Amino acid sequence: MLMLGRGPDTRDNQTRQVREAVTNVEKHFGELCQIFAAYIRKTARLRDKADLLVNEIHAYAATETPSLKHGLKNFANELSKLQDYRQAEVERLEAKVVEPLKCYGTIVKLKREDLKVTLTAKNREAKQLSQLERTRQRNPSDRHIIVSFTHKK
């Protein structure tokens, strides 16, 4: 379908811009998703190591004098509270950042398919127009063939 005031060059530029935008989003959002996922995994590993540290502090505190035992247990409890915050950070990042970024993967895939369908239709239209032009050049007076080409669209 030809749009008034827009030539093939304008449509080609728009198509190119859309293709570049889809490719750009696909590339960068994929990278962002991978980096955030790696960050979350490292944060979770850090939380796990700190939990091991808390357990070891409790084990050490059990062998010490009452005053040192009290101080070590308080320290282990505070460290444990910090790890609870780290767990909340991991859960929030997964829910609020990574999951929405994953959704863009599906959206980009759909847009790429839409673009492919549009390009196929555009190429088909251009081929039909060139066939019509060749028919007009070969038989300019044969209106019956020219009309049948225009109705095929």
Side-chain angles (χ1 to χ4, degrees):
M1 169 166 71
L2 290 173
M3 292 186 230
L4 294 176
R6 295 191 178 184
D9 291 338
T10 304
R11 283 186 285 168
D12 289 342
N13 285 338
Q14 287 175 341
T15 303
R16 182 181 45 78
Q17 288 174 347
V18 169
R19 187 182 311 123
E20 288 173 357
V22 167
T23 302
N24 195 31
V25 167
E26 191 174 44
K27 174 187 171 191
H28 291 289
F29 273 55
E31 280 294 313
L32 284 171
C33 194
Q34 287 179 346
I35 292 169
F36 271 116
Y39 175 79
I40 290 170
R41 283 191 303 274
K42 287 185 180 191
T43 302
R45 278 197 299 270
L46 182 61
R47 176 209 57 220
D48 294 342
K49 293 293 183 186
D51 287 342
L52 292 174
L53 181 61
V54 166
N55 290 339
E56 187 58 33
I57 292 171
H58 278 294
Y60 174 58
T63 64
E64 283 299 324
T65 61
S67 63
L68 184 56
K69 181 179 188 175
H70 179 71
L72 286 172
K73 284 193 177 218
N74 285 341
F75 175 69
N77 289 336
E78 294 302 317
L79 189 57
S80 181
K81 289 176 187 175
L82 286 174
Q83 300 326 301
D84 291 343
Y85 283 112
R86 188 161 283 140
Q87 176 62 28
E89 176 188 16
V90 167
E91 290 171 359
R92 282 190 191 113
L93 283 171
E94 285 175 341
K96 303 283 185 180
V97 177
V98 173
E99 287 303 317
L101 284 177
K102 283 182 186 177
C103 293
Y104 276 99
T106 306
I107 293 169
V108 167
K109 205 177 281 185
L110 291 173
K111 292 302 173 189
R112 187 165 295 284
E113 289 173 9
D114 288 347
L115 184 62
K116 186 176 180 180
V117 168
T118 302
L119 287 174
T120 303
K122 185 185 104 174
N123 291 340
R124 189 179 327 112
E125 180 183 2
K127 184 178 177 183
Q128 287 176 345
L129 286 174
S130 68
Q131 285 177 346
L132 176 62
E133 194 56 39
R134 275 187 269 141
T135 303
R136 281 185 182 160
Q137 289 174 357
R138 274 189 256 140
N139 298 323
S141 61
D142 195 356
R143 296 278 181 210
H144 176 69
I145 294 173
I146 294 172
V147 169
S148 70
F149 260 94
T150 57
H151 288 306
K152 281 184 181 178
K153 289 183 186 180

